[in-house]
Amino acid sequence: MKKWYLFLVLAFLTALVVACSSDSANENEEDTAGSEDTTETESNDTESEEASGNEEVTLRVAWWGGQERHDRTLQVIEMYEEQNPHITIEAEYSGFDGYFDKLNTQLAAGNAPDVIQFGGNLNDFVARDVILPLDDYVGNEIDTSLHDESMLDSATFDDQLYGVTLGTTAWGLLLNKTAFEEAGVSMPSKEWTWEDFKELTPQLTENLDGTYGTGDFGEDGFGVFLAQTDKFTYLDGEIGFDQEDVKEWFNLWKELRESEGAAIPEVQVSASQTPEQSLIVQRDVAIESIASNQLGAYTGATEDEFELYPYPANSDTSKNGVSLRPSQYFAAYKDTEHPEEAAKFMDFFVNNVEATEILGNDRGAPVNADVRENLIDQASELDEAVYSYIALVSETSDAPFIPNLPGYNENTQLFTETEQIIYYDQKSVDEAAEDYYEELLSNIEKYENEDEE
């Protein structure tokens, strides 16, 4: 990978700051010493520890991910505990499946972890008033002076910051290059279209023993599909698509199953978002939709060679619909007994140079400009592949970042149930799409009303 390409990535990611560059500049001027983030943090740590008499503190930190993420995060936790011997961190980690069910149970019981990893559903938990606003800690325990303003905006609700963005990512398709070679199917151009996709996937199924061409792209794929025609799911109180869009999406996948390009329902319903148990790692499919920051986790779980691709483009608009977006957030439980210590740990996680070298790009390209530049300078081959994909997205797509629907978990379950109703012919595509759309509108109205209460 040529170095100039990585600098192109850096240049683009730096451009994310442009919208609020003046604000960031002011913030930097007010806190000039804060630009020496690691030194400042260590100084603050020392002062606070002295003031608190090094009170013994136990923090519970929760996240989901694959084994690679677990290993990297545990290394950083060990480093943090060595540098802060009065802190003990109890790690609570798992795969994605069941993560939020467990968290909801903990929240209901009033014993949620102190620091919690969220995805695009952070807004739902903020609306439930279970997340600690971080504004009182910014500039003290947390330094955001070098963070991309757009990523700060994504975690800001009603003018309050509720989360620290852990990385920048983009949806993409993981193609199993090894399976393509075994099937005798040439890898497509990265300017491919849905027509190419429909032609290629049945060939993979036919030529591979027990492996289908593709897994279903799910609700996230539907959002990308909408963006290809400048539509969106939900933004600023407005829903940006109609029933016909839903029908078109589900008919596309029905057609793919009928052509045997897509996995049969019995395989699809076993899909897991945990890399090691995913359909593509288990060799059930040759193509799967993932977030770009997960390339390393998926690659590390198999000996097959994977490559990231953008979604097939709409042949009428030539748009692939992929956008850059925050990967995950760390946020603090509102009733944590140790808000300052929780804030310090989050700061360490995203701003400490040595810690971020361990974490790499597993949660996406870092949001701290200095940290990002440091990682680019020492990028591994896998890191370079992620940076290259981010650069490709920036060059080929103008799709904006659209936050998740309000009521994310409930609406994602509704989408999955609708898929399964169609899989097993319990309703026609038209009937299922109409029912989905009607219930979705009802859910959105319900969550909007909750926000206003």
Side-chain angles (χ1 to χ4, degrees), residues 8-299:
L8 179 63
V9 180
L10 176 61
F12 169 73
L13 291 171
T14 301
L16 291 171
V17 189
V18 167
C20 297
S21 59
S22 60
D23 290 342
S24 297
N26 291 337
E27 189 175 349
N28 286 335
E29 288 172 5
E30 293 169 1
D31 188 11
T32 305
S35 62
E36 301 295 335
D37 56 302
T38 304
T39 303
E40 173 76 5
T41 300
E42 291 172 351
S43 176
N44 285 344
D45 287 349
T46 302
E47 292 173 5
S48 298
E49 286 166 16
E50 289 175 355
S52 66
N54 289 334
E55 176 189 3
E56 296 291 328
V57 170
T58 297
L59 286 179
R60 293 165 56 207
V61 178
W63 73 90
W64 78 82
Q67 191 57 51
E68 180 176 343
R69 177 176 299 171
H70 300 331
D71 293 342
R72 290 174 185 246
T73 305
L74 289 171
Q75 285 186 59
V76 170
I77 286 175
E78 183 177 352
M79 179 188 295
Y80 189 76
E81 289 177 326
E82 289 176 354
Q83 295 182 21
N84 300 272
H86 65 296
I87 302 292
T88 299
I89 293 181
E90 295 181 354
E92 300 183 13
Y93 54 94
S94 67
F96 181 79
D97 302 326
Y99 175 84
F100 283 103
D101 292 335
K102 178 181 178 181
L103 176 60
N104 284 326
T105 301
Q106 292 173 322
L107 288 168
N111 67 344
D114 301 281
V115 177
I116 307 166
Q117 179 178 294
F118 290 95
N121 58 349
L122 175 63
N123 54 339
D124 285 340
F125 290 85
V126 170
R128 289 167 56 181
D129 195 25
V130 294
I131 305 300
L132 180 74
L134 299 177
D135 302 82
D136 289 344
Y137 309 99
V138 173
N140 298 304
E141 288 82 3
I142 299 176
D143 181 5
T144 62
S145 61
L146 294 176
H147 290 204
D148 298 330
E149 197 67 27
S150 60
M151 296 296 105
L152 292 171
D153 289 345
S154 74
T156 300
F157 306 93
D158 293 332
D159 298 323
Q160 288 188 296
L161 181 70
Y162 283 91
V164 174
T165 306
L166 301 179
T168 305
T169 189
W171 285 108
L173 297 185
L174 197 60
L175 272 59
N176 187 328
K177 193 173 181 180
T178 306
F180 270 71
E181 292 173 355
E182 291 176 4
V185 176
S186 299
M187 294 287 279
S189 160
K190 291 189 175 179
E191 297 177 350
W192 60 339
T193 65
W194 284 108
E195 285 73 22
D196 298 327
F197 187 76
K198 292 176 184 176
E199 180 179 348
L200 176 153
T201 48
Q203 296 176 30
L204 290 167
T205 304
E206 182 178 356
N207 296 344
L208 294 170
D209 184 15
T211 301
Y212 292 90
T214 183
D216 200 313
F217 296 169
E219 186 186 35
D220 295 312
F222 179 55
V224 175
F225 177 75
L226 290 175
Q228 295 179 348
T229 52
D230 295 325
K231 296 181 180 179
F232 55 88
T233 50
Y234 182 85
L235 185 65
D236 297 333
E238 178 185 357
I239 192 160
F241 65 101
D242 57 30
Q243 288 184 14
E244 294 306 312
D245 297 305
V246 185
K247 293 176 182 176
E248 186 177 356
W249 176 250
F250 285 134
N251 273 318
L252 168 65
W253 286 97
K254 186 172 187 290
E255 180 183 344
L256 283 163
R257 284 189 297 278
E258 291 174 346
S259 71
E260 300 185 349
I264 60 175
E266 289 74 12
V267 171
Q268 189 59 51
V269 296
S270 68
S272 169
Q273 294 190 38
T274 301
E276 290 81 0
Q277 282 79 50
S278 63
L279 295 181
I280 194 166
V281 167
Q282 295 298 318
R283 274 282 192 139
D284 291 317
V285 301
I287 301 174
E288 184 166 334
S289 177
I290 69 165
S292 62
N293 58 293
Q294 286 287 280
L295 176 63
Y298 279 76
T299 300

